[in-house]
Amino acid sequence: MLGGASVCRPGGTGGRGIVTVGPLRRWLGLLGLDEIRCSCCLRPFSPSVTEMSGGDGSLPLCPECGKLLTPFTGPRCPLCGFPFPAGAAASVGGATPPCGACLARRPPWRALAYHGVYKGALRDLVLRFKFGGELALGRLLAGWLENAALCLPAPDVLVGMPQHPAHLRRRGFNQAHELARALHAATHIPFRPDILVRRCDSAPQSSLNAQLRAATVRGVFGVAAPVSGMRIWLVDDVMTTGSTLREAAQTLLGSGAAEVCALVIGRTPRVIA
């Protein structure tokens, strides 16, 4: 279900008169018409077959952006994913120990996965998707989510982080639901936007510290459909302190879900004190 994406090749079912990819690309190259635009920097480039699909069957990335947007593989907290500086995390028996915050208070999810550290090119791309309304980027981001989720146990359903109706009216779309919907299209895991609801419109969290973030989301979620025994992937765009994901996961588990795993595009490189 979550294996690598395959590429359908034109002409593979006996279609007569279909020009194959190789000769077509050669002719376009001779004419100088084989350039496409990178999904990240928007600069034109002439892609290879791998770059034509962003490397995962989604959208094209130029070689420069492809290098900037590779998955994060450095040391991290095994519970909340907090990225440690290179060489800063000492291993215990070959495993990286949890961060201080998780030792003090373990997260409610079984596991968490993410694509990269939320900075630089990845941050710019997510902001374009989230605030610029470039929803076509959802295919690229969902491909990264699918790859990141290979380490997670298989779920029964996908649940995107909900928005309050007032917030949804202001923005016009829910970026977490768009990500979950694109991930559903790639994996065929059922997407259930009806399960988790946001009962009150809390203040934006971008300028709040960790303590205020936790206070503003306390009790804001509710469950509107049965979740008893379900294994859930909880999808969002970015995790900063984890307060919102923690509250949502606790709400789902408190309503009978068997387990919750968190899945996000980016993890912030530091926690706001």
Side-chain angles (χ1 to χ4, degrees):
M1 178 176 62
L2 294 175
S6 59
V7 178
C8 295
R9 304 183 186 278
T13 56
R16 297 176 60 187
I18 297 178
V19 180
T20 58
V21 172
L24 176 60
R25 292 210 61 79
R26 285 196 291 271
W27 278 107
L28 290 174
L30 290 172
L31 296 172
L33 299 175
D34 63 337
E35 290 184 338
I36 62 173
R37 290 191 178 272
C38 172
S39 300
C40 181
C41 68
L42 304 181
R43 291 177 297 189
F45 74 106
S46 298
S48 66
V49 173
T50 300
E51 291 160 351
M52 275 291 290
S53 65
D56 60 7
S58 50
L59 294 178
L61 291 173
C62 70
E64 291 79 9
C65 289
K67 293 176 183 177
L68 293 173
L69 293 164
T70 55
F72 175 69
T73 58
R76 70 190 76 188
C77 172
L79 299 179
C80 74
F82 180 74
F84 297 128
S91 295
V92 177
T96 303
C99 67
C102 288
L103 286 174
R105 187 185 179 203
R106 186 183 179 92
W109 48 77
R110 173 176 173 180
L112 177 140
Y114 62 91
H115 172 75
V117 178
Y118 185 63
K119 63 180 181 178
L122 181 61
R123 180 179 181 275
D124 293 341
L125 202 66
V126 172
L127 289 177
R128 282 171 50 196
F129 174 73
K130 184 174 182 177
F131 296 109
E134 297 184 40
L135 299 185
L137 292 173
R139 287 176 52 208
L140 178 65
L141 300 176
W144 292 342
L145 285 179
E146 183 181 5
N147 289 336
L150 291 173
C151 65
L152 300 180
D156 299 312
V157 296
L158 303 173
V159 172
M161 193 67 69
Q163 290 177 349
H164 187 268
H167 190 176
L168 186 59
R169 285 193 296 270
R170 291 194 298 270
R171 177 164 295 174
F173 66 95
N174 181 335
Q175 72 276 359
H177 280 193
E178 294 300 323
L179 286 173
R181 187 173 288 111
L183 185 58
H184 157 72
T187 63
H188 306 293
I189 300 170
F191 169 45
R192 291 289 304 276
D194 60 315
I195 284 179
L196 191 64
V197 296
R198 193 157 187 148
R199 298 187 293 200
C200 51
D201 190 16
S202 56
Q205 293 194 311
S206 57
S207 61
L208 302 180
N209 62 28
Q211 290 75 24
L212 289 176
R213 283 172 181 253
T216 58
V217 297
R218 194 167 296 124
V220 302
F221 296 110
V223 172
V227 295
S228 181
M230 283 187 179
R231 297 164 299 171
I232 296 171
W233 282 0
L234 185 59
V235 179
D236 204 1
D237 56 341
V238 178
M239 176 179 170
T240 303
T241 65
S243 297
T244 306
L245 280 169
R246 180 186 290 271
E247 186 69 23
Q250 287 175 335
T251 300
L252 291 165
L253 292 168
S255 296
E259 68 179 29
V260 175
C261 291
L263 182 59
V264 299
I265 292 294
R267 178 67 163 94
T268 53
R270 65 186 179 89
V271 176
I272 301 172

